Amino acid sequence: MPSKTKVAAILLTITVSLTLHFRIFKLDLMGQHVWRQTQTQLNILHFAKDDANILHPKTNYLDTPDGIHRMEFPLMQWTIGMLDRIFGYSIFLTRLLMFLAGILAALGMGRLSKEVFRSESAFIPALWLITFSPLFYYYTMNPIPDVWALAFSIWGMAMFFDWINKGALRSLYLSGVFLSLVALIKLPFILYFVLFAVDRKSTRLNSSHRT
């Protein structure tokens, strides 16, 4: 069971972050990389109101007659678009889901730090540091797939180190699931799979030393 201090720290972090971000939820897209935010949001819009085929991510570019403009695999955009079909299309829903992904990433960073340093005391500082780091603080409200990819990659690494520390196969399977989702959402994040290669190499080295 999580300690009362940890639960209080998590609730305080979410409350403070939500309060500071509150005015942004209903704002239109703006700021740094707004062109990239617009591409992503157009994918979401077309999934919500036009073609729901996940293989047909569309924008309003004039150089593509069918409107299809493929970048990364649009798992995040399609998921948000399907929720827009249920609840109605809005920038608010996109920003809300990005914010929740940011909270997931922050919780994952706390867990990852706990597993890496093998100390419960590492959880809260890591939680606060990532939540209120300027770059993360800004992008966690904006529709770019990197936020979801970061959240799943952090949890993938956290489960990987949990497997190393405890040997539970469930954690290894979860790590694989998270990192597979990362590869679908933002392909460059597949570099996190190097963790498995490093662990395999270290296992071989340890075996050779024993023999």
Side-chain angles (χ1 to χ4, degrees):
M1 287 289 291
S3 68
K4 291 182 179 179
T5 302
K6 182 189 286 189
V7 173
I10 292 171
L11 293 176
L12 179 61
T13 302
I14 295 173
T15 301
V16 172
S17 183
L18 180 61
T19 301
L20 294 174
H21 283 111
F22 190 75
R23 66 180 184 84
I24 302 173
F25 278 98
K26 290 189 177 182
L27 294 180
D28 204 350
L29 302 180
M30 61 181 69
Q32 295 293 323
H33 287 97
V34 70
W35 63 271
R36 184 63 176 88
Q37 298 179 48
T38 303
Q39 284 181 331
T40 306
Q41 192 60 33
L42 281 172
N43 286 163
I44 294 169
L45 173 63
H46 282 284
F47 282 134
K49 295 192 174 185
D50 182 17
D51 189 351
N53 189 334
I54 195 171
L55 299 179
H56 295 166
K58 294 182 179 181
T59 62
N60 294 342
Y61 287 175
L62 298 177
D63 60 346
T64 54
D66 55 5
I68 296 175
H69 182 75
R70 294 186 175 92
M71 296 172 286
E72 63 280 333
F73 187 74
L75 180 61
M76 184 197 82
Q77 296 93 312
W78 182 84
T79 301
I80 298 175
M82 294 305 100
L83 290 172
D84 277 326
R85 282 177 175 254
I86 297 172
F87 299 106
Y89 174 80
S90 68
I91 295 291
F92 172 82
L93 182 58
T94 298
R95 290 197 185 279
L96 175 62
L97 292 171
M98 301 310 297
F99 178 78
L100 292 176
I103 295 298
L104 181 65
L107 293 172
M109 184 59 75
R111 177 64 181 272
L112 175 61
S113 299
K114 170 194 167 185
E115 297 299 336
V116 169
F117 295 105
R118 300 186 181 185
S119 172
E120 284 283 351
S121 61
F123 183 96
I124 295 174
L127 176 73
W128 272 80
L129 285 172
I130 188 174
T131 301
F132 301 109
S133 61
L135 195 64
F136 182 84
Y137 178 86
Y138 172 77
Y139 280 109
T140 193
M141 292 292 291
N142 297 322
I144 55 173
D146 303 66
V147 179
W148 280 38
L150 179 65
F152 288 131
S153 63
I154 291 173
W155 273 103
M157 289 188 291
M159 291 297 98
F160 180 80
F161 282 102
D162 183 71
W163 170 66
I164 289 178
N165 293 336
K166 301 173 185 174
L169 282 178
R170 174 177 171 273
S171 297
L172 182 61
Y173 294 148
L174 284 174
S175 178
V177 169
F178 283 128
L179 292 176
S180 297
L181 288 171
V182 167
L184 287 174
I185 294 169
K186 189 78 173 181
L187 189 59
F189 282 76
I190 200 173
L191 289 173
Y192 286 109
F193 277 104
V194 78
L195 280 170
F196 295 101
V198 169
D199 178 72
R200 187 175 181 183
K201 184 176 180 181
S202 64
T203 301
R204 285 181 177 178
L205 286 174
N206 289 335
S207 298
S208 64
H209 287 317
R210 287 173 186 172
T211 56

